[in-house]
Each structure stands twice: as structure tokens, then as C-alpha cells.
Amino acid sequence: NLQLVLNSAFSGDTIILAPGIYSGTFTIPSSLTNLTIKGAQAGIAGDIATRSNTNLSAETTISGALQILGNGTVIDGVRVLDGDAVGGESAGIYVSATGVTVKNSVLYRSGVVDGDGFRGIVTALTSSDGLEVTANYIEGWATGVYVQDAGNVSVTNNTLKNNYVGMSADAYSNADVLTVSGNTIEASVLEGLGIGEAGGAWATTSSINNNTFIGPAIFNYSPSLALSVLGWTNGATIQG
């Protein structure tokens, strides 16, 4: 039982998970800091040909959801399937902790792609600063990655494909810093990236650059947002 393993772990531990299916919603508690979870594909980017949305035999699959409450958690090389209700959200990975990294993972939701509210990765409304999302493959969600009320967030070198919305980002506090770079956002139904300011502001040091949008691209919900943040002069490629 994965939850029993998590409950028995100590801060700073590394848990190595064998290939297989771990069904349920699992919580990394706030008392457990700097934990690393390595799946069978640790170190291997989520979008390379040897990874699969549907072949379970080679992946460490969490069929359900992962709730991260422990600061400094690292998730590397797992597959999250379909998501579940967690932390007041519907998500594959729910982050309510600082300094969390999600990398080299596949997040896949089966069924019809629509706006049903299921997010691949979503931050809580507090305490999610320093999130890093890198080298993942994310498909089939209402929103692939949703960043809300979190600063110093980095979303880089991911493939977000066939989601209703590729990524959403809302600033609730002043001077939130957001970096979105090197991603391929493809075949989104509504928009590739929706960005807004919900009572706060994205810092002018934020950067959205060198991303490739195939299909719908960026929708800016905030007239006051500094256009330099949107990256029109910083290497954006838009196809379709």
C-alpha cells in the first residue's frame, strides 16, 4: 500500500516505486519534507517515444491522484491516470506545498476532453511557491497545468497536448513571478495558455518565451498585464 509507505517515510527519504498500478488517492503529508518519489521512468522525459499513455507495464502508474502537502517534494518518472477529487479540486496532482518539482512524468486523463474541471496539475490557493514542472507529457485534461496564487513558478520543456486548455495562470498576489518556456502546447480545444490577474499581478520579470503553440495560443484575460510578459517578441512559435 503506497499510503502506508508514505506514512512510514522520513523527511529527505527517496522512495523508488516499481512498475505497476497504485490505485487510490495518496497524500504526502506536510510533516514529510524533501521527499523524492522515483517511478520506473525516473530521469526519462515524459514525451519521448518509449513512454506511453496506455501501456501500463513499463510505468509506475498512480490510478487516481496525488496530494502533495510536504515542502520540497520531488516527483520523477511516474504516470498519473485520470485524477480524482482531492484538496477541494479535481486533479491528477494537487500541490499545496512550497518548492515542489514534478518532472519526467506522464499525466493522462482518458475519455472525452471537455471543461469538466479536472486539472493535470493544480496549485492550492496558498503555499505553492517555487513549483517546477518540467519535461512532462500532459494530455486529456480540462486544464493541463493550472497555477493559481503561486510565485516563482517555472513550467518548462513540457508537452501539453489534446487538453481543453493547455495551461492557465492566475495571479492573486502582487509580484508573482511566472516562467513558461520551451513548452509545446498542441491541439488545445479552447486556448493554449490563458493568463489573468485575479486581484494580484504577474511581476514584469515574468517570462513566457520560446514556446510552440500548435492550434489555439495565448488568451490574455487581463488588460493591465504587461505585454512584454506574453513573449510575442521572445521566440514564440504559433502554428494554426
Side-chain angles (χ1 to χ4, degrees):
N1 185 293
L2 178 54
Q3 191 62 59
L4 290 177
V5 172
L6 292 171
N7 293 345
S8 301
F10 294 92
S11 294
D13 278 355
T14 295
I15 297 173
I16 299 175
L17 296 176
I21 300 175
Y22 302 79
S23 296
T25 295
F26 304 102
T27 298
I28 298 171
S30 58
S31 59
L32 195 57
T33 61
N34 300 314
L35 179 76
T36 297
I37 295 179
K38 291 186 175 183
Q41 302 291 329
I44 301 173
D47 64 350
I48 73 165
T50 56
R51 305 295 295 272
S52 173
N53 290 336
T54 56
N55 180 9
L56 303 183
S57 62
E59 296 280 350
T60 298
T61 297
I62 295 173
S63 181
L66 186 61
Q67 178 174 226
I68 302 175
L69 306 180
N71 295 339
T73 297
V74 176
I75 306 298
D76 185 356
V78 304
R79 178 179 182 271
V80 178
L81 176 64
D82 285 338
D84 203 352
V86 57
E89 299 276 0
S90 299
I93 297 179
Y94 172 81
V95 179
S96 182
T98 60
V100 171
T101 298
V102 180
K103 62 183 180 179
N104 301 319
S105 294
V106 173
L107 293 94
Y108 179 69
R109 180 162 170 78
S110 58
V112 176
V113 177
D114 56 24
D116 65 358
F118 272 81
R119 278 78 182 242
I121 300 172
V122 62
T123 61
L125 283 171
T126 56
S127 304
S128 301
D129 290 352
L131 173 66
E132 295 186 15
V133 178
T134 187
N136 302 289
Y137 182 88
I138 304 172
E139 179 177 356
W141 304 88
T143 309
V145 177
Y146 183 26
V147 176
Q148 52 182 347
D149 197 24
N152 297 316
V153 172
S154 174
V155 180
T156 59
N157 302 315
N158 304 281
T159 296
L160 300 99
K161 184 176 181 179
N162 297 327
N163 300 287
Y164 193 75
V165 173
M167 177 179 172
S168 295
D170 288 321
Y172 284 75
S173 302
N174 287 322
D176 282 343
V177 178
L178 174 69
T179 300
V180 182
S181 179
N183 303 284
T184 297
I185 303 179
E186 180 177 353
S188 303
V189 176
L190 180 65
E191 60 204 19
L193 170 61
I195 186 167
E197 296 176 319
W202 293 111
T204 56
T205 52
S206 297
S207 178
I208 299 172
N209 63 78
N210 295 311
N211 300 287
T212 296
F213 295 91
I214 303 172
I218 299 174
F219 193 95
N220 177 17
Y221 288 88
S222 176
S224 64
L225 182 67
L227 292 180
S228 60
V229 171
L230 295 178
W232 297 122
T233 60
N234 294 321
T237 300
I238 300 174
Q239 303 176 27

